């Protein structure tokens, strides 16, 4: 998945602020609320942050919850010190349980996002397959795939060039890697290069054209998304292979 530094920073800020707000809200009731019950409420705050953030945010939320629990909800109040041994045990359990639950919540969220992403990728492929099988003009397929690639690869723009290969731009290969000359970039971690990237549309060994991808600076595109892009380009090649000559010329 692409990185979103702004959202990650917001999650880290929430990891500090949300447990603090919950501890402050419980302060008027600390005389009648047992430490065990207060710690359970703090765990809920940790889960809330972890479910919407990431693993570092979840871990920070657990540490934050334990710290504010100590400061606001155990005697002596207002100091990072705990007088009762039972409260020390409760604070330690809060930290351990908070860390464990936060990581489980973050993992569950990640699995959910992966499932949603895979379903969207499959829908993209099925949509283009249906268009090709319907006998639509090849230009309609090119236009649809171009729009899909912009969204899928988080591009600034994308155009299609019919015909012969010109120049030696970076290329998105069939295995999802990026090559530039003889240099092959890391499949999983490297960002897209800043210059245009070629994605060829071919079928049956015949080259019909290429999509010229204009990456967004700093965007990291997962390998799975790149492989879906290659599949969409193959579908475009199949449509062009079956097209009439008058459909396969001109800018797109």
């Amino acid at each position: 998945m692409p990185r979103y530094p702004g959202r990650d920073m917001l999650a880290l800020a929430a990891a500090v602020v949300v447990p603090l707000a919950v501890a402050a809200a419980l302060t008027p009731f600390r005389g009648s609320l047992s430490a065990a019950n207060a710690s359970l409420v703090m765990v809920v705050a940790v889960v809330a942050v972890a479910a919407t953030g990431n693993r570092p945010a979840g871990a920070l939320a657990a540490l934050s919850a334990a710290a504010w629990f100590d400061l606001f909800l155990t005697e002596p109040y207002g100091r990072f010190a705990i007088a009762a041994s039972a409260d020390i045990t409760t604070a330690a359990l809060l930290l351990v349980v908070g860390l464990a639950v936060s990581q489980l919540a973050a993992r569950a969220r990640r699995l959910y996002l992966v499932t949603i992403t895979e379903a969207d990728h499959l829908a993209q492929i099925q949509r283009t397959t249906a268009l090709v099988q319907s006998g639509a003009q090849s230009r309609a397929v090119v236009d649809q795939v171009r729009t899909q690639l912009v969204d899928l690869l988080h591009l600034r723009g994308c155009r299609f060039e019919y015909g012969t290969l010109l120049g030696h731009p970076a290329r998105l290969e069939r295995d999802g890697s990026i090559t530039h000359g003889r240099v092959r970039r890391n499949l999983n971690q490297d960002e897209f290069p800043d210059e245009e990237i070629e994605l060829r549309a071919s079928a049956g060994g015949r080259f019909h054209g290429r999509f010229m991808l204009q990456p967004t600076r700093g965007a990291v595109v997962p390998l799975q998304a790149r492989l879906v892009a290659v599949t969409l380009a193959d579908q475009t090649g199949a449509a062009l292979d079956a097209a009439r000559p008058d459909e396969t010329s001109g800018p797109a």
Side-chain angles (χ1 to χ4, degrees):
M1 290 176 214
R3 294 171 186 168
Y4 298 98
R7 190 174 67 186
D8 289 344
M9 292 302 296
L10 185 61
L12 291 174
V16 176
V17 173
V18 171
L20 171 60
V22 172
L26 293 176
T27 298
F29 310 101
R30 61 192 177 190
S32 57
L33 187 66
S34 69
N37 288 337
S39 67
L40 288 175
V41 177
M42 298 300 292
V43 168
V44 172
V46 172
V47 173
V49 172
T52 56
N54 48 34
R55 290 179 183 273
L60 180 59
L63 294 170
S64 174
W68 302 132
F69 173 78
D70 177 7
L71 186 66
F72 289 102
L73 302 174
T74 64
E75 296 180 351
Y77 300 127
R79 293 171 54 191
F80 287 110
I82 302 177
S85 59
D87 288 344
I88 295 176
T89 301
T90 301
L93 288 174
L94 169 60
L95 177 59
V96 172
V97 172
L99 286 170
V101 171
S102 69
Q103 298 310 296
L104 288 173
R107 179 176 176 79
R109 179 177 179 273
R110 178 172 178 80
L111 290 174
Y112 171 77
L113 292 176
V114 167
T115 301
I116 294 298
T117 300
E118 289 180 347
D120 179 67
H121 288 171
L122 180 60
Q124 298 266 19
I125 294 172
Q126 290 175 334
R127 190 155 52 246
T128 301
T129 299
L131 184 63
V132 173
Q133 292 178 344
S134 71
Q137 286 198 344
S138 60
R139 291 194 180 187
V141 177
V142 168
D143 288 342
Q144 175 168 297
V145 171
R146 186 174 55 184
T147 300
Q148 289 173 308
L149 292 175
V150 169
D151 180 64
L152 180 67
L153 303 177
H154 310 286
L155 305 174
R156 290 184 292 108
C158 176
R159 71 180 189 279
F160 188 81
E161 296 180 350
Y162 291 90
T164 317
L165 176 67
L166 296 174
H168 301 281
R171 184 189 308 167
L172 178 56
E173 303 287 359
R174 297 193 61 79
D175 64 357
S177 64
I178 304 292
T179 59
H180 202 160
R182 295 184 178 181
V183 179
R184 185 178 296 269
R185 299 173 68 93
N186 183 286
L187 291 182
N188 297 309
Q189 299 177 359
D190 280 358
E191 299 176 353
F192 271 11
D194 291 337
E195 69 268 21
E196 285 191 322
I197 301 172
E198 169 190 271
L199 174 57
R200 296 184 177 185
S202 57
R206 296 180 56 194
F207 174 76
H208 293 286
R210 62 185 179 181
F211 292 95
M212 296 304 296
L213 315 175
Q214 300 167 19
T216 299
R217 182 182 296 272
V220 177
V221 182
L223 175 60
Q224 185 184 35
R226 290 179 250 167
L227 294 175
V228 172
V230 171
T231 301
L232 294 174
D234 286 345
Q235 291 176 317
T236 305
L240 291 168
D241 195 55
R244 300 190 307 271
D246 62 331
E247 293 183 37
T248 57
S249 60

